[in-house]
């Protein structure tokens, strides 16, 4: 009686289905990949949105000369916003020199973790507003911006490759991942950040602003007819000095915890060893070796344009057109319309991947060209709320063009 019992215990289970168990295993692997993509995308979206919202709120507060005098006169930080922006803008220009080295040294996940942490550090530095805290943290933010997007791009691209491998695990010769599977998170993250960045304006700053008849008093022209890069507000924009304008540092540090806990490693230990076997010189030369492809060199002007058009819609359009006509209290709603439109159209733009890659590029360029011509020949009237539907429509269409441009670059 002992031998049959032992055979039943160590023998093959007659109810075991190898093919079914294999399917369950790779299904769990695919769900893990989806979890990694969602966690990394949400963490980057939230932390970048907090930083953008903080910068946006600071710049709006600094338009008020009374607030600037009360807040910063004793600290000798009257021009702190210019110094902070200078630190953020100039440092990413050297990113090609250190971003690949940073990712190679720390690994993809830990480079992403470090970049998110530096963004959280910038948010936290605003709890102690001093020259030696704000300016160095702004420089660090500029240094970490490019590694953040390079790391999350590398991470999501690797997750797309893993998902493709787990989906086609039965194929002996696996095909390469189809073009463009990593586009949606890469495009959605920065665009959704614009939507997240407007929350401080809605729930905090708008309660302190004067009405548009006061803030836009004396403004006679909008759009291209202002004769200035931006029109001039009145000296006092706020009914009273805000008691505090701090972003949620606890939430920003929560982005680090999300990357640490919910994001799995991008590469296996053996793959990490293979990557670390590459020499420092090879890693350093890699971005420049990619430029040997003439198609990437031709994309450089388009990459520059995507950055400039985002800057245009967030500054020149929203101030000279939207704020000039609707008031400063509507700034957040205009940027929210742009961000949500770009996010939604990023998903819809994936349907254009069945066409040739030139189609979304030309479609986005044509849409932006039509909008630029409209803005050049038309200018809204100051303090006229009846023009709100047209201005929101322009912001929405501009977001659609941005989504087409960024999706085409990623693909």
């Amino acid at each position: 009686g002992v031998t049959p019992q032992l055979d039943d215990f160590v023998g093959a289970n007659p109810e075991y289905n190898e093919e079914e168990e294999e399917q369950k295993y790779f299904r769990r692997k695919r769900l893990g990949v989806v979890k990694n993509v969602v966690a990394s995308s949400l963490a980057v979206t939230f932390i970048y949105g907090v930083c953008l919202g903080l910068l946006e709120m600071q710049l709006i507060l600094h338009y008020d000369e009374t607030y600037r005098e009360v807040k910063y006169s004793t600290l000798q930080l009257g021009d702190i916003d210019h110094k902070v922006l200078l630190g953020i803008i100039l440092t990413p220009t050297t990113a090609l020199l250190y971003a690949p080295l940073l990712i190679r040294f720390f690994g993809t996940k830990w480079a992403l973790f470090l970049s998110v942490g530096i963004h959280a550090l910038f948010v936290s530095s605003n709890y102690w507003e001093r020259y030696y805290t704000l300016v160095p943290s702004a420089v660090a933010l500029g240094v970490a911006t490019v590694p953040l997007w390079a790391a999350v791009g590398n991470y999501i691209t690797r997750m797309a490759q893993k998902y493709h491998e787990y989906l086609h695990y039965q194929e002996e010769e696996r095909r390469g991942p189809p073009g463009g599977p990593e586009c949606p998170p890469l495009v959605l993250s920065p665009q959704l950040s614009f939507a997240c960045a407007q929350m401080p304006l809605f729930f905090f700053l708008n309660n302190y602003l004067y009405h548009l008849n006061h803030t836009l008093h004396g403004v006679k022209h909008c759009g291209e007819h202002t004769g200035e890069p931006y029109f001039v507000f009145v000296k006092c924009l706020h009914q009273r000095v805000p008691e505090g304008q701090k972003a949620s540092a606890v939430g920003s540090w929560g982005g680090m915890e999300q990357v640490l806990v919910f994001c799995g490693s991008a590469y296996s230990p053996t793959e990490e060893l293979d990557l670390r076997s590459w020499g420092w010189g090879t890693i350093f030369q890699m971005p420049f070796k990619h430029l040997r492809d003439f198609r990437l060199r031709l994309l450089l002007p388009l990459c520059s344009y995507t950055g400039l058009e985002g800057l245009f819609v967030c500054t020149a359009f929203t101030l000279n057109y939207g704020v000039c006509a609707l008031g400063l209290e509507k700034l957040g709603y205009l940027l929210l319309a742009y961000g949500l439109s770009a996010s939604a159209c990023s998903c819809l733009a994936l349907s254009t991947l069945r066409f040739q890659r030139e189609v979304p590029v030309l479609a986005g360029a044509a849409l932006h060209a039509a909008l630029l011509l409209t803005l050049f020949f038309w200018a809204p009237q100051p303090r006229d709320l009846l023009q709100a539907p047209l201005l929101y429509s322009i912001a929405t269409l501009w977001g659609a063009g941005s989504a087409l441009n960024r999706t085409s670059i990623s693909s």
Side-chain angles (χ1 to χ4, degrees):
V2 176
T3 303
Q5 292 179 3
L6 183 62
D7 291 340
D8 292 341
F9 182 74
V10 299
N13 186 358
E15 298 180 358
Y16 178 77
N17 189 328
E18 183 178 358
E19 183 177 355
E20 183 179 355
E21 293 299 324
E22 190 178 37
Q23 291 177 354
K24 291 181 180 179
Y25 171 78
F26 282 102
R27 188 184 301 117
R28 289 194 299 268
K29 287 288 188 179
R30 292 196 298 270
L31 290 177
V33 168
V34 173
K35 180 262 296 178
N36 292 338
V37 171
V38 172
S40 59
S41 300
L42 289 179
V44 173
T45 298
F46 183 75
I47 188 65
Y48 203 66
V50 169
C51 290
L52 287 178
L54 179 62
L55 287 173
E56 183 180 341
M57 193 162 55
Q58 285 179 339
L59 293 177
I60 292 175
L61 289 172
H62 291 171
Y63 279 125
D64 192 324
E65 296 183 12
T66 304
Y67 174 85
R68 183 192 294 268
E69 180 68 21
V70 172
K71 179 80 174 175
Y72 294 114
S73 59
T74 58
L75 302 177
Q76 298 180 352
L77 295 176
D79 59 343
I80 189 63
D81 52 340
H82 300 293
K83 294 179 180 178
V84 167
L85 289 178
L86 194 64
I88 294 174
I89 293 172
L90 293 183
T91 48
T93 57
T94 60
L96 284 177
L97 304 178
Y98 61 83
L101 302 179
L102 191 67
I103 294 176
R104 187 262 188 191
F105 183 79
F106 289 101
T108 303
K109 175 185 174 179
W110 295 108
L112 176 60
F113 177 79
L114 178 64
S115 302
V116 171
I118 293 176
H119 282 69
L121 179 65
F122 170 77
V123 176
S124 301
S125 67
N126 287 267
Y127 275 90
W128 185 256
E129 292 180 313
R130 297 294 185 271
Y131 185 88
Y132 55 83
T133 59
L134 293 179
V135 175
S137 64
V139 174
L141 178 66
V143 169
T145 297
V146 174
L148 173 71
W149 294 110
V152 73
N154 190 14
Y155 186 83
I156 293 177
T157 301
R158 180 56 184 160
M159 291 299 109
Q161 294 171 351
K162 281 188 173 184
Y163 190 89
H164 183 77
E165 293 173 2
Y166 298 149
L167 186 63
H168 301 280
Y169 65 93
Q170 293 178 332
E171 299 180 8
E172 294 183 0
E173 295 183 0
R174 294 169 181 163
R175 300 166 296 174
E182 68 276 10
C183 293
L186 289 180
V187 179
L188 281 173
S189 293
Q191 307 299 353
L192 278 178
S193 298
F194 282 102
C196 296
Q198 310 316 312
M199 297 302 108
L201 297 184
F202 297 152
F203 299 111
F204 174 75
L205 199 58
N206 280 354
N207 299 326
Y208 294 89
L209 291 173
Y210 279 111
H211 192 262
L212 76 163
N213 290 328
H214 171 81
T215 57
L216 300 176
H217 176 72
V219 177
K220 304 298 182 184
H221 305 285
C222 295
E224 290 293 325
H225 305 301
T226 57
E228 298 284 344
Y230 308 113
F231 63 88
V232 179
F233 290 107
V234 296
K235 292 185 177 182
C236 183
L237 303 176
H238 302 91
Q239 300 175 9
R240 59 189 186 278
V241 176
E243 298 175 359
Q245 38 99 7
K246 312 299 184 184
S248 176
V250 176
S252 62
W253 289 102
M256 293 183 64
E257 298 176 0
Q258 188 171 352
V259 173
L260 180 64
V261 175
F262 296 104
C263 293
S265 60
Y267 297 92
S268 65
T270 55
E271 291 171 331
E272 289 282 0
L273 291 176
D274 292 338
L275 292 174
R276 290 181 182 274
S277 64
W278 294 1
W280 291 99
T282 303
I283 298 293
F284 178 78
Q285 297 172 11
M286 192 174 296
F288 304 97
K289 287 183 177 179
H290 289 318
L291 293 178
R292 293 176 181 176
D293 192 335
F294 75 96
R295 294 170 298 181
L296 289 180
R297 294 197 298 269
L298 292 177
L299 277 179
L300 288 178
L302 182 59
C303 294
S304 302
Y305 170 74
T306 56
L308 294 175
E309 60 92 1
L311 181 64
F312 167 78
V313 75
C314 294
T315 55
F317 169 73
T318 54
L319 289 177
N320 276 10
Y321 289 85
V323 172
C324 186
L326 308 178
L328 191 58
E329 58 270 25
K330 300 299 182 182
L331 172 63
Y333 295 98
L334 286 168
L335 292 178
L336 183 66
Y338 164 75
L340 293 180
S341 170
S343 300
C345 293
S346 297
C347 294
L348 298 177
L350 294 176
S351 60
T352 62
L353 295 179
R354 68 186 65 182
F355 305 110
Q356 292 186 356
R357 295 297 186 260
E358 294 83 356
V359 172
V361 177
L362 295 177
L367 182 56
H368 276 182
L371 293 175
L372 286 174
L373 288 175
T374 301
L375 295 176
F376 184 78
F377 290 105
W378 171 80
Q381 297 297 321
R383 303 177 297 279
D384 188 354
L385 298 179
L386 296 178
Q387 301 165 110
L390 179 58
L391 291 168
Y392 283 120
S393 299
I394 293 176
T396 302
L397 291 175
W398 194 278
S402 298
L404 289 170
N405 290 334
R406 295 173 188 271
T407 305
S408 60
I409 290 176
S410 299
S411 61

